[in-house]
């Protein structure tokens, strides 16, 4: 901690919302703060190049370094944002970019504001870097992330826990996913219809434990792309 009550941290960007004409609220996940909102003032400074730089920085699931200042009250403020990791493997691939948008939205909806689950940030960072690095065989990645997130939140499913959420024709595939290590699950053959149905089943399972609907808008895009 420095004398001006600021500290440098790394966070994962989950979502952003406009605040007035020139500012943003960044919804993030970090080791230090857990799931926390930060205030980012004056995003128009620096003209068009400055706005473009900020737009690139706040892409969903970006890993960002920033200086955080905690005032006497209200929301912490961030400044001096810069990328912590080059995620070109996500941004340059339409399919992986769409998956990353879903993962960010899922985390934004499923992890409650103020929550700070031990190890959650490190787990998320590891998964982001893995998706960024994968060259192929990532069409099932979002399914495994969704299953593993439930475990990270404290309610890892056994097959018997989710069986009734899954259509009968797809239960064998779900059972295989649950027993396989990630490396094998990523290459388990299935078509887009099966993926979509399983994803919706896994989300219903999470909603049951969270006791509120997630209302994920990004699922529709995944259904179109991951056929």
């Amino acid at each position: 901690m420095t004398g001006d009550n600021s500290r440098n941290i790394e966070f994962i960007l989950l979502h952003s919302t406009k605040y007035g004409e020139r500012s943003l609220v960044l919804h993030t996940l970090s080791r230090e703060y857990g799931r926390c909102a930060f205030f980012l003032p004056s995003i128009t400074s620096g003209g068009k190049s400055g706005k473009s730089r900020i737009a690139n920085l706040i892409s969903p699931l970006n890993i960002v370094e920033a200086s955080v200042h905690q005032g006497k009250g209200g929301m912490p403020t961030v400044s001096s944002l810069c990328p912590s990791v080059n995620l070109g493997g996500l941004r340059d691939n339409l399919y992986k970019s769409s998956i990353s948008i879903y993962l960010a939205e899922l985390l934004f909806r499923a992890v409650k504001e103020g929550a700070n689950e031990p190890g959650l940030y490190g787990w998320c960072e590891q998964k982001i870097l893995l998706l960024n690095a994968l060259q192929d065989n990532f069409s099932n990645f979002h399914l495994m992330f969704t299953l593993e997130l439930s475990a990270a939140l404290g309610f890892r499913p056994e097959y018997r826990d989710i069986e009734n959420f899954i259509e009968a024709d797809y239960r064998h595939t779900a059972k295989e996913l649950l027993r396989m290590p990630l490396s094998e699950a990523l290459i388990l053959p299935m078509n887009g219809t099966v993926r979509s149905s399983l994803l919706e089943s896994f989300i219903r399972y999470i909603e049951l434990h969270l006791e509120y609907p997630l209302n994920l808008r990004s699922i529709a895009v995944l259904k179109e792309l991951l056929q």
Side-chain angles (χ1 to χ4, degrees):
M1 187 78 70
T2 61
D4 64 356
N5 198 31
S6 65
R7 64 189 304 187
N8 293 326
I9 71 163
E10 181 182 82
F11 62 75
I12 298 169
L13 196 287
L14 306 180
H15 184 66
S16 63
T17 53
K18 286 190 67 175
Y19 186 90
E21 292 299 317
R22 301 179 60 191
S23 304
L24 290 173
V25 175
L26 305 182
H27 304 275
T28 71
L29 184 67
S30 67
R31 285 191 180 90
E32 296 84 352
Y33 292 84
R35 169 81 157 73
C36 181
F38 295 124
F39 181 65
L40 176 63
S42 302
I43 62 170
T44 55
S45 61
K48 290 184 178 179
S49 62
K51 291 177 68 175
S52 177
R53 176 180 172 275
I54 291 296
N56 290 331
L57 276 171
I58 63 172
S59 295
L61 226 61
N62 265 3
I63 303 174
V64 178
E65 293 180 1
S67 178
V68 178
H69 176 78
Q70 180 66 67
K72 292 183 179 180
M75 193 181 304
T77 298
V78 289
S79 61
S80 305
L81 275 66
C82 64
S84 178
V85 180
N86 181 354
L87 295 178
L90 288 185
R91 306 307 169 205
D92 298 337
N93 184 293
L94 175 62
Y95 300 97
K96 289 202 286 186
S97 179
S98 298
I99 290 173
S100 71
I101 290 171
Y102 162 75
L103 302 186
E105 187 183 17
L106 177 62
L107 289 166
F108 173 65
R109 302 290 183 190
V111 182
K112 295 180 180 179
E113 181 80 18
N116 197 357
E117 301 286 344
L120 181 59
Y121 179 84
W123 176 80
C124 289
E125 183 179 44
Q126 180 186 52
K127 297 302 178 185
I128 293 168
L129 296 178
L130 174 60
L131 180 59
N132 184 62
L134 287 172
Q135 298 298 312
D136 49 27
N137 296 325
F138 49 78
S139 295
N140 297 340
F141 188 93
H142 60 301
L143 295 177
M144 296 307 297
F145 184 96
T146 304
L147 281 175
E148 292 181 8
L149 177 62
S150 65
L153 294 176
F155 43 88
R156 182 176 183 84
E158 300 289 339
Y159 175 69
R160 63 177 179 273
D161 300 324
I162 62 172
E163 180 179 8
N164 292 333
F165 292 87
I166 300 169
E167 292 186 38
D169 290 345
Y170 308 143
R171 287 176 182 171
H172 175 73
T173 303
K175 197 170 187 177
E176 291 289 284
L177 281 177
L178 283 167
R179 73 167 185 81
M180 287 178 169
L182 179 62
S183 58
E184 295 180 17
L186 290 177
I187 60 175
L188 182 66
M190 67 181 82
N191 60 35
T193 301
V194 178
R195 285 193 191 96
S196 295
S197 180
L198 290 180
L199 182 60
E200 290 174 357
S201 299
F202 299 160
I203 289 170
R204 286 197 298 271
Y205 172 79
I206 291 176
E207 289 174 336
L208 176 69
H209 284 269
L210 295 178
E211 299 183 337
Y212 61 85
L214 294 175
N215 298 322
L216 300 171
R217 299 178 180 179
S218 53
I219 291 178
V221 177
L222 285 181
K223 286 182 179 180
E224 291 294 324
L225 288 175
L226 300 179
Q227 295 297 321

